[in-house]
Amino acid sequence: MELRVYPVTGEQVTDVASQIVESHRGQGWQALSIVVTYDRREVVPSYAVYEWAPEGRWSDAAKADAASWRGYRLHQTAVRDKLTQPNTCKVPTEQAYVLNTEFNQATEDDVEISEEAVLTEIAKRHKIPTARAEELVLTVEDWTMC
């Protein structure tokens, strides 16, 4: 499930987490950790993190009744500013996500290469100034951490 609209309310995000829980009901899970993001390409929780566990505590999962989920509840463990203060966060463009993905892939593939060299190559490939490529890459990082 994806929430690719912005801004969203806390209720919308909680509804998605609840839908995920329901889709796993009866499968014998002792606990679920649910990361709600704006875009699948984000590697850090974008909106919030929930735990579905006994009394909302992941640490009590081993003692729980995974078959019935009796005593389980949804607990929100992390909330990002973009959910509580939407005006402080700027949504990246599709181009920003593309460049950010290219940047991350290039720096993962070759840990010896400098970030400047990667940005220069990306800028050349997309026919934009290097400063603009860097701005777009950072837009995604700023958004993700907002």
Side-chain angles (χ1 to χ4, degrees), residues 13-120:
V13 173
T14 301
D15 286 347
V16 166
S18 296
Q19 289 171 31
I20 292 168
V21 167
E22 287 306 312
S23 72
H24 288 80
R25 186 173 293 282
Q27 296 179 19
W29 294 86
Q30 288 184 294
L32 297 173
S33 180
I34 302 163
V35 177
V36 185
T37 64
Y38 171 79
D39 190 287
R40 292 171 196 223
R41 293 170 284 193
E42 293 180 66
V43 294
V44 175
S46 178
Y47 287 128
V49 177
Y50 294 84
E51 290 179 354
W52 176 255
E55 300 306 318
R57 290 186 303 268
W58 187 268
S59 60
D60 291 345
K63 301 181 246 175
D65 180 0
S68 71
W69 278 358
R70 205 174 348 264
Y72 277 65
R73 69 180 177 86
L74 193 61
H75 173 68
Q76 193 173 44
T77 62
V79 182
R80 289 279 190 205
D81 287 347
K82 67 174 61 79
L83 187 58
T84 59
Q85 303 168 38
N87 294 333
T88 63
C89 304
K90 180 181 176 198
V91 180
T93 63
E94 184 62 29
Q95 182 186 26
Y97 273 111
V98 168
L99 270 59
N100 185 264
T101 299
E102 289 178 16
F103 177 83
N104 289 336
Q105 188 64 56
T107 55
E108 287 173 18
D109 289 347
D110 183 356
V111 294
E112 301 295 321
I113 194 167
S114 72
E115 291 182 359
E116 294 79 18
V118 171
L119 289 168
T120 299

Side-chain angles (χ1 to χ4, degrees), residues 129-144:
T130 303
R132 178 68 179 146
E134 181 177 23
E135 177 186 328
L136 290 167
V137 167
L138 291 175
T139 298
V140 175
E141 292 176 13
D142 290 346
W143 161 260
T144 300

